Amino acid sequence: MENRFYKRRSRRGLGMVAAVFLLMALGAQTAFAATSYVNSVSITVDVDLELGERLPSLSVGYTGDSAEVMIPSNDKYDIKSAKWSDSDKDVKLGGTYTMKVTLDAINNYKFSSGTYSSSKVKIKGGTLVSAKRQSNGTLLVTIKTKEAKGDLEAPEEAWWDGTRAGSSRFGYAKWESVENAAYEVALYRGSKLVEKVTDLHTTAYNFYPYMTTKGTYTFRVRSVPVNESVSKYAKRSEWQTSDELYVEEDEVSDGKGKPSSGSTTQPDAPSTQQVGWIEDGGHRFFRWPDGNYVKNDWANIGNVWYLFDASGAMLTGWQQKDGLYYYLDAEGKMLTGWQKENEIWYYLTDSGSMASGWLTLGDKTYYLNESGAMVTGWYDVNGETYYFYPDGHRAANEWVDGLFYVDQNGVWKR
């Protein structure tokens, strides 16, 4: 009797133990599920940026939906919203714009503490700026769009600088400058193409040496990308056409002053015994007392540096020499220091060459992109995020907008 009672108690005890282990196992599974983390996320940006228009509204959805911001269908995280950091901005050619995308963890998943690196956040159609957990269940992803693509603007106006025969500017073509553009220019007599010049980095050209036959002349000019970087997002513009210039029989050119073989930018130096500065055909040349012109080189004249092309003509505007860019004003003077063109700041070193990359002046540090333009606002350099004030200097060891801390090197600490 006692043995049967003991056995019943033993079975009951074993059952209770089994039940306890089962509950423990279920609890362990629940605990395990509660500590599962979202290890990586993917976001696709499909935004149509219309030049000159305001940034478009953003809808969210899943891959395959008709939405501007999408994530793949999954059981770990969902997309809650996508908003522009500044929705009032107008879209400009080459412009990049920032959006903030909010993701929510689902099904007992969580976002891990700290930040998510680029290896854990895949962005298609844009560039990752940052990804930071707001809470266990919320991840805020900041994305920068690709450059807005489109056509360059055509020069607003094209005109003949001189219309009177005998004038040094007769047949001299000029046009308005366009941001991030070089130019292609073509001369016509009636409907016949007389001469074409490509990849011109100035806003003027002397066509008179090609006006060897009487008739009515016009020229056409269009903008082309100034360099390979701009060509990635900008296409050449439409043509802008000048008014007409009629050349009488007694006004035609003798053909002298055309560019030498292989040159497409400036005419040959004039034949004269004059020394010093010489004006000819709308161009300036400099001749030394020994009879030699400055050609394809720099010259320091009156403590001012000037650059001359292979034919001896003085150059103006942006020019490339030995792989470096320089800026020469309308009088040919090589400029240094900060220079503003088309609302963009550039820095020219003491040697005149355009700076790019990091630049430290006094106690302030700036960053100039590959085209030499000074950057402002939030900007990524080699995978790190920095903030640059409107005057271009980098923030360091401070809170930006009271929300984002940047360390002593200016790196945003997520």
Side-chain angles (χ1 to χ4, degrees):
M1 188 70 177
E2 290 181 358
N3 288 339
R4 286 196 299 271
F5 178 74
Y6 175 77
K7 288 179 180 179
R8 283 197 299 270
R9 288 184 60 187
S10 297
R11 292 191 189 99
R12 183 180 300 172
L14 288 173
M16 292 178 66
V17 170
V20 169
F21 274 109
L22 178 59
L23 290 173
M24 290 176 63
L26 290 173
Q29 289 177 1
T30 302
F32 178 77
T35 56
S36 295
Y37 292 103
V38 180
N39 294 318
S40 63
V41 299
S42 297
I43 302 174
T44 298
V45 176
D46 185 14
V47 179
D48 186 16
L49 298 177
E50 296 288 340
L51 300 184
E53 301 291 334
R54 292 291 176 90
L55 291 171
S57 59
L58 297 174
S59 60
V60 300
Y62 304 98
T63 305
D65 291 345
S66 296
E68 282 72 30
V69 187
M70 298 166 285
I71 63 170
S73 180
N74 69 95
D75 61 354
K76 298 179 181 179
Y77 62 94
D78 200 357
I79 184 166
K80 180 179 180 180
S81 65
K83 298 180 180 179
W84 295 110
S85 297
D86 187 352
S87 59
D88 291 334
K89 286 187 175 180
D90 291 339
V91 178
K92 296 182 179 180
L93 181 63
T96 59
Y97 305 92
T98 304
M99 66 176 66
K100 296 185 181 296
V101 179
T102 302
L103 303 178
D104 285 342
I106 57 176
N107 296 331
N108 290 322
Y109 277 88
K110 296 180 180 179
F111 292 110
S112 58
S113 61
T115 60
Y116 280 66
S117 65
S118 57
S119 62
K120 294 183 178 180
V121 182
K122 302 298 182 184
I123 307 296
K124 182 179 180 181
T127 303
L128 174 67
V129 175
S130 65
K132 187 174 182 180
R133 189 184 73 162
Q134 303 295 292
S135 66
N136 288 342
T138 304
L139 184 71
L140 181 63
V141 183
T142 304
I143 299 171
K144 182 168 63 177
T145 66
K146 292 183 177 180
E147 295 93 342
K149 295 183 177 181
D151 297 336
L152 287 165
E153 293 182 2
E156 289 187 5
E157 190 176 0
W159 68 96
W160 295 107
D161 195 34
T163 57
R164 290 189 305 168
S167 166
S168 63
R169 312 297 284 183
F170 188 62
Y172 201 78
K174 295 194 73 175
W175 54 91
E176 296 287 349
S177 65
V178 175
E179 183 178 350
N180 293 323
Y183 308 95
E184 184 176 346
V185 194
L187 175 69
Y188 290 84
R189 186 178 69 253
S191 60
K192 181 180 179 181
L193 176 64
V194 177
E195 177 67 7
K196 178 182 285 188
V197 184
T198 60
D199 197 30
L200 192 63
H201 288 251
T202 63
T203 55
Y205 192 81
N206 181 23
F207 275 126
Y208 182 64
Y210 300 94
M211 297 175 172
T212 57
T213 302
K214 75 172 184 178
T216 301
Y217 289 85
T218 58
F219 72 88
R220 302 168 67 195
V221 57
R222 66 180 173 186
S223 306
V224 297
V226 69
N227 54 38
E228 185 177 352
S229 176
V230 174
S231 68
K232 293 178 181 178
Y233 59 81
K235 297 181 180 179
R236 60 192 183 186
S237 75
E238 298 293 330
W239 290 98
Q240 177 65 276
T241 303
S242 73
D243 53 2
E244 296 179 346
L245 176 65
Y246 186 75
V247 179
E248 299 280 3
E249 184 67 48
D250 60 351
E251 297 172 340
V252 299
S253 170
D254 59 8
K256 292 182 179 179
K258 292 181 180 180
S260 57
S261 177
S263 172
T264 61
T265 58
Q266 304 289 356
D268 287 332
S271 176
T272 179
Q273 297 303 309
Q274 183 181 346
V275 297
W277 286 108
I278 300 169
E279 296 275 351
D280 185 81
H283 297 279
R284 299 185 74 196
F285 303 83
F286 192 85
R287 187 170 183 263
W288 298 113
D290 63 4
N292 290 317
Y293 285 90
V294 183
K295 293 185 177 183
N296 197 30
D297 203 359
W298 292 96
N300 190 307
I301 304 169
N303 292 322
V304 174
W305 283 101
Y306 299 88
L307 180 62
F308 299 82
D309 74 358
S311 70
M314 183 196 77
L315 298 171
T316 61
W318 284 107
Q319 299 293 335
Q320 187 177 32
K321 179 69 173 174
D322 299 327
L324 300 174
Y325 281 96
Y326 300 83
Y327 191 77
L328 312 159
D329 69 12
E331 301 300 320
K333 177 183 177 181
M334 183 194 78
L335 301 181
T336 60
W338 288 108
Q339 302 296 331
K340 189 176 185 181
E341 184 185 22
N342 294 321
E343 302 303 316
I344 297 176
W345 284 99
Y346 301 86
Y347 187 81
L348 306 173
T349 65
D350 291 342
S351 65
S353 62
M354 182 188 75
S356 62
W358 290 108
L359 173 69
T360 298
L361 299 174
D363 60 351
K364 293 184 177 181
T365 299
Y366 305 81
Y367 189 80
L368 310 167
N369 67 22
E370 59 185 9
S371 66
M374 182 191 79
V375 305
T376 59
W378 291 104
Y379 197 84
D380 277 8
V381 181
N382 297 327
E384 300 286 3
T385 302
Y386 302 84
Y387 181 78
F388 298 88
Y389 284 97
D391 69 352
H393 84 271
R394 183 187 66 187
N397 193 28
E398 59 186 290
W399 290 88
V400 178
D401 295 331
L403 298 172
F404 310 101
Y405 178 72
V406 293
D407 67 14
Q408 66 274 14
N409 297 315
V411 178
W412 174 38
K413 307 306 292 184
R414 300 170 175 82

